[in-house]
């Protein structure tokens, strides 16, 4: 049978007025406790820069060993999590093919392996591995390309989704592309798979999109040994009696109208668009109980509804999240603007588990680098919290006996100098949720989008009130954000677009901000002459309108290099600007601190000594004046275990005696004020690259913030945190 359900989703948005804070007890919260770099499991003969990936993950019955699939390496990896706060590499096992899924059954890992030579000649096998010995003990030919693998609750049956996936480059990925997929059900013996008793469940001929070419994606068992199967490209769901192989029900996953979404990739936020009749096209599916299951509606080539849906097994829609999760991701700074025309945050993976009698849904947003945690109430789920992940969270497994959730993150950006694939662990404890550290409020019923924070400044009068600017990632919508750092988490209360002549200013790469003391602000824009972006300082009024532009002088531009203005601060009537890296006229190991005298309209500079590193480069990110000194953020461009230099230095105001450009510039003396590495390590994730903003408010409290690169080749994680400078500031008169 077939059913199609469609409901407008604007009714969901009113539930977001409470924002990202939850009202449940702190004991319900999960916090990240560790991150494991998958490259730590590289075989001894593999190159250090070999791409790795953790996609689908499972756990041993005792919860002490994790097993994950690694497609680029063609095998599975093992992690010892006896100490959840300090996971250890457990080795790697090659499987002569591409592993697509893994599930643990007692002491064995069962892995689907794709061995296809082409899209039209799909093949694969199911492999049983003894986890203790790392030995392959049994194999079955599956007759097609496997995707998801699931184990029945009593451990007697295995189900494999044989996808026989299509070539997305052929005929624009349109169905049909034979051969058709199906579901294989295999009995599981104590030490082997009963290959001879395998049963194929045919899925062709159902009333659905591409009926001749079903492509089953994900399978899951309930306690009655019933299977639910997603056919993502077909936008369809099937429930199967696994014991007999008969189809109990099948129905369309349905369509929705999305109202209030960003549908263009224009380097700006605009949550006023619509996607009408949007197919859900679910990826992962998990049973909530014997009657209900939940789908993650990632979408494929025709759809993606940016949320999750709860169905009963006969096809009735019991709940649809609408834009709840996407809006929460926007408020947390995790919205992937470059995916707006596609599928937004793309909920893809799921886990469902019961902790101390409470059933939870964990929804993995692949493009947002987040897990949305919801409590199952039997009706509308209750939002609990957001958890930050690595890039492209793909699979998750809960270990309730140990109070743990584990998330495998697929993307490895080693080739681009970015973070590697990681497996991250979260523990349920009595500590209140520590993420997100910064959120935006709703404005006119819509979340304020933000990301790529690149400069920070304090209000000259109000303690705890800060201002931040966004960099060139949002080139069509440069913004000044107002932050209330007295709330927990800190909250963006307003977003002002920087304008020129009444229109959003362009050709800006804002990297620094400073109050002018009179309600307006000075901004530093990092230029790129090769892209016609001028190096300049800008004065804006309280409404964000540019009042004055101060270009860099010709004698300075004569030695220009790409990495330029990274911070600005006002001292009396002089603007001081931190240049990120050396230009061609700078001695090795130094950069300039520029000084522009607003009264004399003249430029000067001093030199600043940089720390050195044997990996990557070191540069400046921020400059902040406070009392009798300036504070300067100095960092390398390294991430995770390679990060070494994330530091705050101070320079005495008396040392800032600028010489004219072209003259010999004096070299200032710096002293260490704070090391940011412990702050960045405290999150339980890998060390983030860019500490970009730093400010000290009028009460003497210091704050720092990281840049998340607009969630582009980034998990989207931003860390906003207080910095204890009491020992340094105590000497200030």
């Amino acid at each position: 049978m077939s059913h199609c359900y469609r409901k407008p989703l604007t009714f969901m948005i009113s539930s977001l007025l409470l924002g990202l804070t939850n009202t449940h007890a702190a004991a319900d919260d999960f916090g990240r406790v560790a991150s494991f770099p998958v490259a730590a499991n590289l075989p001894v003969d593999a190159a250090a820069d070999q791409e790795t990936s953790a996609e689908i993950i499972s756990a041993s019955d005792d919860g002490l060993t994790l097993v994950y699939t690694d497609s680029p390496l063609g095998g599975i990896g093992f992690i010892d999590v006896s100490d959840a706060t300090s996971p250890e590499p457990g080795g790697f096992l090659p499987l002569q093919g591409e592993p697509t899924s893994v599930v643990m059954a007692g002491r064995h890992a069962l892995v689907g392996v794709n061995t296809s030579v082409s899209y039209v000649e799909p093949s694969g096998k199911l492999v049983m591995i003894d986890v203790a010995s790392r030995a392959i003990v049994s194999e079955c030919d599956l007759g097609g390309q496997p995707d998801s693998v699931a184990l029945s609750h009593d451990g007697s049956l295995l189900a494999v989704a044989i996808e026989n996936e299509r070539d997305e480059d052929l005929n624009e990925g349109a169905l049909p592309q034979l051969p058709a997929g199906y579901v294989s059900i295999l009995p599981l013996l104590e030490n082997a798979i009963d290959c001879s008793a395998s049963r194929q469940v045919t899925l062709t001929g159902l009333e659905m999109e591409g009926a001749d070419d079903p492509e089953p994606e994900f399978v899951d068992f309930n306690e009655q040994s019933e299977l639910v199967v997603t056919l993502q490209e077909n936008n369809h769901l099937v429930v199967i009696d696994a014991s007999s192989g008969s189809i109990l029900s099948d129905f369309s996953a349905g369509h929705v109208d999305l109202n209030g979404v960003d549908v263009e990739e224009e380097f700006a936020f605009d949550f006023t668009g619509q996607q009408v009749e949007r197919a859900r096209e679910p990826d992962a599916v998990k049973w909530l109980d014997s009657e209900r299951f939940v789908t993650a509606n990632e979408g494929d080539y025709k759809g993606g509804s940016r949320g999750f849906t709860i169905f009963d097994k006969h096809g009735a829609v019991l709940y649809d999240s609408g834009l709840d999760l996407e809006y929460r991701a926007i408020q947390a700074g995790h919205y992937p603007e470059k995916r707006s025309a596609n599928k937004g945050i793309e909920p893809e993976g799921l886990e469902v588990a019961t902790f101390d009698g409470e059933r939870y849904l964990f929804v993995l947003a692949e493009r947002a680098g987040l897990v949305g945690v919801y409590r199952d109430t039997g009706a509308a789920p209750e939002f609990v919290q957001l958890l930050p992940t690595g890039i492209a969270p793909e699979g998750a497994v809960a270990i309730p006996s140990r109070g743990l959730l584990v998330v495998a993150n697929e993307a490895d950006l080693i080739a681009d100098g970015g973070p590697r694939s990681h497996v991250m662990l979260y523990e349920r404890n009595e500590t209140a949720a520590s993420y997100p550290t910064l959120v935006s409020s709703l404005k006119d019923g819509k979340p304020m989008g933000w990301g790529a924070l690149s400069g920070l400044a304090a209000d000259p009068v109000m303690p705890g009130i800060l201002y931040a600017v966004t960099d060139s990632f949002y080139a069509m919508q440069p913004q000044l954000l107002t932050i209330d750092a007295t709330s927990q988490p800190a909250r963006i209360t307003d977003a002002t677009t920087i304008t020129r002549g009444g229109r959003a200013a362009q050709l800006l790469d804002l990297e620094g901000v400073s109050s002018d003391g009179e309600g307006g602000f000075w901004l530093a824009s990092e230029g790129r002459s090769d892209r016609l972006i001028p190096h300049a300082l800008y004065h804006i009024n309280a409404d964000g309108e540019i009042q004055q532009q101060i270009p860099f002088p010709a004698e300075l531009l004569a030695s220009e290099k790409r990495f330029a203005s990274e911070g600005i601060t006002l001292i009396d009537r002089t603007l001081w600007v931190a240049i990120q890296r050396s230009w061609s006229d700078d001695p090795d190991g130094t950069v300039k601190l520029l000084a522009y005298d607003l009264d004399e309209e003249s430029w000067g500079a001093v030199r600043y000594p940089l720390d050195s590193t044997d990996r990557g480069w070191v540069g400046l990110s921020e400059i902040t004046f406070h009392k009798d000194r300036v504070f300067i953020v100095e960092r390398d461009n390294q991430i995770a275990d390679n990060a070494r230099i994330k530091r705050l230095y101070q320079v005495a105001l008396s040392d800032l005696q600028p010489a004219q450009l072209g003259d010999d510039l004096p070299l200032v003396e710096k002293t260490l004020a704070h090391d940011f590495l412990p702050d960045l390590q405290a999150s339980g994730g890998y060390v983030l690259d860019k500490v970009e903003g730093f400010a000290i408010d009028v009460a003497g409290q210091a704050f720092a913030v990281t840049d998340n690169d607009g969630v582009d080749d980034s998990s989207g994680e931003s860390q906003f945190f207080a910095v204890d400078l009491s020992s340094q500031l105590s000497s200030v008169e």
Side-chain angles (χ1 to χ4, degrees):
M1 60 182 175
S2 178
H3 305 279
C4 183
Y5 296 90
R6 175 173 168 266
K7 182 178 290 187
L9 299 182
T10 50
F11 73 97
M12 293 292 177
I13 297 173
S14 62
S15 68
L16 295 172
L17 295 177
L18 293 177
L20 292 176
T21 57
N22 53 44
T23 57
H24 59 279
D28 292 340
D29 288 333
F30 292 82
R32 187 171 54 191
V33 294
S35 295
F36 176 83
V38 175
N41 259 339
L42 277 171
V44 293
D45 58 345
D49 60 355
Q50 165 68 50
E51 182 186 0
T52 64
S53 182
E55 297 174 79
I56 305 303
I57 194 161
S58 189
S60 59
D61 290 348
D62 60 10
L64 301 179
T65 302
L66 301 174
V67 185
Y68 62 87
T69 62
D70 189 328
S71 176
L73 276 182
I76 58 172
F78 303 87
I79 308 173
D80 179 355
V81 289
S82 300
D83 180 354
T85 65
S86 183
E88 295 290 336
F92 178 81
L93 179 67
L95 292 175
Q96 289 73 53
E98 178 196 10
T100 60
S101 188
V102 61
V103 65
M104 291 290 296
R107 67 177 186 274
H108 297 116
L110 298 149
V111 187
V113 181
N114 178 17
T115 58
S116 303
V117 296
S118 70
Y119 289 106
V120 296
E121 298 177 89
S123 64
K125 59 186 178 180
L126 186 64
V127 181
M128 174 182 274
I129 298 155
D130 184 279
V131 172
S133 65
R134 310 292 199 258
I136 296 174
V137 297
S138 182
E139 290 190 8
C140 278
D141 183 358
L142 292 170
Q145 172 253 319
D147 196 329
S148 168
V149 178
L151 177 70
S152 65
H153 285 251
D154 64 5
S156 65
L157 295 174
L158 287 169
V160 185
I162 306 298
E163 183 177 11
N164 291 344
E165 64 183 350
R166 75 195 194 285
D167 182 352
E168 295 183 9
D169 296 324
L170 177 64
N171 195 24
E172 297 184 346
L175 300 178
Q177 290 186 28
L178 302 179
Y182 50 90
V183 171
S184 279
I185 301 173
L186 305 94
L188 182 63
L189 306 177
E190 183 176 355
N191 293 301
I193 310 163
D194 190 352
C195 304
S196 63
S198 173
R199 176 189 293 113
Q200 290 188 6
V201 180
T202 301
L203 300 172
T204 54
L206 303 178
E207 187 181 338
M208 63 184 180
E209 173 84 16
D212 294 335
D213 184 18
E215 294 194 13
E217 186 86 16
F218 205 98
V219 291
D220 192 46
F221 281 96
N222 66 13
E223 293 183 354
Q224 297 176 349
S225 290
E226 294 172 337
L227 273 173
V228 61
V229 186
T230 59
L231 284 67
Q232 185 173 30
E233 291 80 1
N234 311 93
N235 195 36
H236 213 72
L237 293 153
V238 181
V239 179
I240 299 169
D241 180 350
S243 300
S244 65
S246 61
I247 293 177
L248 299 176
S249 63
D250 73 280
F251 42 89
S252 170
H255 300 72
V256 295
D257 290 344
L258 298 175
N259 299 309
V261 291
D262 194 338
V263 295
E264 294 186 18
E265 296 162 9
E266 76 278 46
F267 301 100
F269 297 111
D270 180 9
F271 303 114
T272 62
Q274 290 186 325
Q275 290 180 325
V276 180
E277 287 279 342
R278 192 74 170 172
R280 289 189 172 99
E281 291 186 346
D283 188 323
V285 62
K286 288 284 185 178
W287 289 95
L288 289 168
D289 51 39
S290 293
E291 298 295 322
R292 302 174 301 142
F293 54 79
V294 57
T295 62
N297 304 326
E298 177 199 24
D300 198 88
Y301 70 118
K302 285 189 176 182
S305 65
R306 309 189 182 208
F308 61 95
T309 306
I310 297 175
F311 295 86
D312 74 15
K313 63 185 180 183
H314 305 294
V317 174
L318 304 178
Y319 171 81
D320 192 290
S321 69
L323 296 174
D324 185 85
L325 182 56
E326 179 148 297
Y327 273 24
R328 294 184 191 277
I330 294 166
Q331 289 181 271
H334 279 253
Y335 182 71
E337 204 285 319
K338 285 183 71 172
R339 302 294 299 177
S340 292
N342 292 282
K343 296 164 282 185
I345 64 170
E346 295 190 28
E348 180 178 14
L350 283 171
E351 175 64 312
V352 171
T354 300
F355 291 79
D356 296 330
E358 298 276 7
R359 185 173 292 270
Y360 291 88
L361 293 71
F362 303 94
V363 186
L364 281 60
E366 178 188 14
R367 299 290 180 173
L370 282 176
V371 176
V373 183
Y374 292 80
R375 181 184 290 103
D376 178 26
T377 67
E382 175 190 359
F383 173 72
V384 177
Q385 65 183 122
L386 297 177
L387 296 173
T389 70
I391 302 178
E394 178 80 8
V397 61
I399 310 174
S401 62
R402 300 186 63 197
L404 297 176
L405 172 73
V406 182
V407 175
N409 301 280
E410 179 182 15
D412 187 330
L413 302 183
I414 181 66
D416 298 318
R420 309 216 61 168
S421 173
H422 278 72
V423 171
M424 295 188 173
L425 289 83
Y426 310 81
E427 186 176 39
R428 186 171 182 261
N429 52 45
E430 296 183 359
T431 302
S434 59
Y435 197 86
T437 57
L438 178 64
V439 301
S440 68
S441 302
L442 297 177
K443 189 174 184 179
D444 299 325
K446 297 288 193 299
M448 288 185 283
W450 64 276
L453 302 187
S454 58
L456 202 62
D459 188 273
V461 177
M462 295 180 288
I465 302 301
L466 308 173
Y467 304 94
V469 287
T470 57
D471 69 19
S472 61
F473 188 85
Y474 305 108
M476 305 303 291
Q477 190 186 49
Q479 289 188 313
L480 175 77
L481 306 177
T482 303
I483 299 173
D484 180 0
T486 66
S487 67
Q488 293 294 326
R491 185 167 292 274
I492 296 170
T493 59
D494 198 14
T496 301
T497 299
I498 310 303
T499 57
R500 182 189 282 116
R503 301 171 63 90
Q506 298 180 21
L507 298 180
L508 297 181
D509 180 7
L510 300 181
E511 295 288 349
V513 57
S514 178
S515 169
D516 68 0
E518 299 176 353
F521 299 88
W522 285 99
L523 310 177
S525 180
E526 183 175 27
R528 288 286 301 272
S529 294
D530 58 338
R531 296 183 181 179
L532 302 179
I533 302 175
H535 296 277
L537 310 181
Y538 296 89
H539 187 228
I540 63 171
N541 63 20
D543 296 323
E545 179 73 15
I546 293 175
Q547 306 289 296
Q548 181 182 2
Q549 176 177 338
I550 303 173
F552 278 16
E555 59 267 37
L556 183 60
L557 293 176
S559 59
E560 172 195 13
K561 285 189 177 180
R562 171 186 171 187
F563 299 95
S565 304
E566 281 287 321
I568 186 170
T569 195
L570 178 63
I571 305 177
D572 295 327
R573 290 284 295 163
T574 298
L575 293 169
W576 283 88
V577 182
I579 301 298
Q580 186 179 67
R581 293 174 63 185
S582 300
W583 283 15
S584 60
D585 63 338
D586 292 317
D588 289 345
T590 69
V591 293
K592 295 184 188 72
L593 302 180
L594 299 178
Y596 182 77
D597 188 312
L598 290 168
D599 295 325
E600 299 294 329
E601 299 182 351
S602 63
W603 289 89
V606 299
R607 298 197 189 281
Y608 175 94
L610 286 172
D611 288 353
S612 61
T613 180
D614 58 359
R615 186 188 293 267
W617 52 258
V618 179
L620 306 185
S621 283
E622 180 70 283
I623 182 170
T624 300
F625 168 59
H626 184 74
K627 302 293 186 182
D628 64 348
R629 68 197 79 178
V630 293
F631 291 88
I632 294 172
V633 175
E634 187 174 339
R635 65 171 181 87
D636 58 21
N637 67 332
Q638 300 300 297
I639 201 165
D641 293 340
N642 292 328
R644 296 290 183 273
I645 300 171
K646 315 290 183 188
R647 297 168 184 162
L648 182 70
Y649 284 98
Q650 54 189 341
V651 174
L653 188 60
S654 58
D655 220 11
L656 296 179
Q657 301 297 324
Q660 291 185 347
L661 296 176
D663 292 350
D664 289 336
L665 302 180
L667 183 70
V668 302
E669 182 179 342
K670 68 181 185 182
T671 58
L672 182 66
H674 186 76
D675 186 350
F676 291 118
L677 272 178
D679 301 302
L680 299 172
Q681 292 164 341
S683 72
Y686 51 76
V687 172
L688 301 175
D689 174 11
K690 300 178 180 179
V691 181
E692 289 275 306
F694 176 80
I696 303 174
D697 72 6
V698 291
Q701 177 60 61
F703 300 90
V705 69
T706 61
D707 175 359
N708 72 358
D709 289 325
V711 204
D712 181 28
D713 287 342
S714 163
S715 68
E717 181 173 341
S718 293
Q719 289 291 338
F720 177 90
F721 52 93
V723 179
D724 183 5
L725 292 182
S726 55
S727 59
Q728 285 79 15
L729 298 183
S730 62
S731 62
V732 177
E733 296 181 359

